[in-house]
């Protein structure tokens, strides 16, 4: 199993350009997430998809769109890139959105798995 | 407004000694707390967690302590090994992955 894969690993854009970050998981997980990580800050949730066919905004959704293409794939699109979107982007997946916590037994089997990240620079 | 704070950006310890990483939170709704470990060029990986009904959880060399009244948790690594050198993120949630908040991370260096 590859787990969570992301493409590309690195990308440089000019202001105003668009691009799509790809993410795929092979663990048959229902829920998928996009985060960004900036220096001096923790990971912040951009968008998530609780299950195939649904997407919802996270903490910092402005300037992004997402598509849950199927159960395996969840893409993040920047329509008009801005320097403020320079960041490292992580995709993650989990079995379900709330199953871990409702069981009350964290670490009992469900957890959140992260991809290796995409380092994006917007000039 | 950062709801989860790790005030030490870095920590350096000698191999074999104890590493203590600290985390504070402000949201009293948080019930679940997790630690992630991150190596360069890799995504974070889950390390250990604790729910608010406990004050301690142990897994091998790793122990997490929770002090709810102080809204503080800590991760103890004993004994520390060079392979533990990584960035450690503290995270807290009120019940689901979508409301989880992360600290900024602490870079741990374990010197041989």
């Amino acid at each position: 199993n590859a787990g969570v894969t992301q493409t590309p690993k690195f990308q440089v854009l000019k202001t105003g350009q668009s691009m799509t970050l790809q993410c795929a998981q092979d663990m048959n997980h229902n829920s998928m997430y996009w985060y960004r990580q900036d220096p001096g800050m923790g990971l912040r949730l951009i968008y998530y998809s609780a299950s195939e066919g649904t997407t919802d905004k996270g903490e910092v959704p402005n300037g992004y769109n997402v598509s849950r293409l199927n159960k395996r794939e969840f893409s993040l699109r920047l329509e008009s890139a801005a320097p403020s979107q320079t960041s490292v982007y992580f995709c993650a997946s989990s079995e379900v959105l709330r199953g871990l916590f409702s069981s009350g037994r964290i670490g009992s089997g469900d957890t959140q798995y992260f991809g290796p990240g995409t380092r994006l620079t917007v000039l | 407004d950062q709801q989860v704070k790790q005030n030490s950006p870095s920590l350096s310890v000698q191999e074999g000694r104890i590493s203590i990483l600290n985390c504070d939170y402000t949201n009293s709704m948080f019930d679940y707390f997790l630690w992630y470990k991150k190596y360069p060029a890799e995504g974070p990986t889950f390390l250990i967690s604790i729910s608010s009904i406990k004050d301690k959880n142990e897994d091998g060399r790793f122990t997490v302590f929770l002090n709810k009244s102080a809204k503080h948790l800590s991760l103890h690594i004993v004994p520390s090994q060079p392979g533990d050198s990584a960035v450690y993120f503290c995270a807290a949630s009120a019940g689901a992955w979508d409301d989880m908040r992360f600290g900024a991370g602490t870079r741990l260096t374990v010197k041989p």
Side-chain angles (χ1 to χ4, degrees):
Chain A
N1 285 352
V4 180
T5 57
Q6 292 181 236
T7 55
K9 285 187 167 46
F10 302 94
Q11 184 71 49
V12 179
L13 293 177
K14 294 181 179 178
T15 297
Q17 287 185 316
S18 62
M19 80 159 295
T20 300
L21 281 65
Q22 307 286 354
C23 173
Q25 52 90 11
D26 61 3
M27 295 173 282
N28 201 35
H29 283 169
N30 290 292
S31 303
M32 298 184 73
Y33 315 81
W34 276 106
Y35 292 90
R36 60 179 288 174
Q37 185 198 358
D38 301 297
M41 304 192 74
L43 282 77
R44 292 181 293 168
L45 184 64
I46 304 171
Y47 269 94
Y48 66 98
S49 170
S51 60
E52 187 179 355
T54 70
T55 60
D56 284 285
K57 294 178 180 179
E59 193 182 354
V60 289
N62 291 348
Y64 305 95
N65 284 300
V66 290
S67 296
R68 184 73 184 267
L69 305 169
N70 47 56
K71 192 171 185 179
R72 289 187 65 247
E73 298 173 290
F74 188 38
S75 62
L76 178 72
R77 183 159 178 84
L78 287 71
E79 290 291 352
S80 179
S84 61
Q85 293 178 305
T86 294
S87 188
V88 181
Y89 291 85
F90 290 100
C91 177
S93 71
S94 67
E95 192 170 330
V96 291
L97 187 65
R98 291 179 179 272
L100 172 68
F101 302 100
S102 66
S103 73
R105 294 170 58 211
I106 291 182
S108 63
D110 187 15
T111 190
Q112 197 180 38
Y113 296 86
F114 285 83
T118 295
R119 185 174 293 276
L120 175 67
T121 302
V122 183
L123 303 174
Chain B
D1 175 32
Q2 281 196 287
Q3 299 182 49
V4 178
K5 295 181 182 179
Q6 294 177 257
N7 292 320
S8 298
S10 62
L11 175 68
S12 182
V13 300
Q14 209 65 35
E15 181 179 5
R17 305 293 292 269
I18 185 171
S19 295
I20 300 176
L21 293 87
N22 294 303
C23 178
D24 297 294
Y25 62 95
T26 58
N27 189 339
S28 57
M29 299 298 291
F30 288 144
D31 281 340
Y32 302 91
F33 305 89
L34 303 89
W35 286 93
Y36 287 83
K37 179 178 182 178
K38 184 184 177 307
Y39 292 117
E42 294 183 11
T45 55
F46 170 75
L47 183 61
I48 192 169
S49 60
I50 190 167
S51 72
S52 60
I53 60 173
K54 292 186 172 183
D55 54 18
K56 176 182 173 181
N57 189 29
E58 221 171 325
D59 184 2
R61 297 186 296 114
F62 303 91
T63 303
V64 56
F65 295 92
L66 176 63
N67 182 333
K68 289 186 290 294
S69 60
K71 293 190 176 69
H72 177 84
L73 65 155
S74 60
L75 174 68
H76 292 209
I77 306 174
V78 183
S80 301
Q81 300 174 354
D84 296 329
S85 297
V87 176
Y88 290 79
F89 291 100
C90 168
S93 170
W97 296 114
D98 63 301
D99 64 23
M100 191 159 67
R101 296 291 182 265
F102 286 81
T106 297
R107 182 178 301 278
L108 173 67
T109 303
V110 181
K111 296 180 179 179

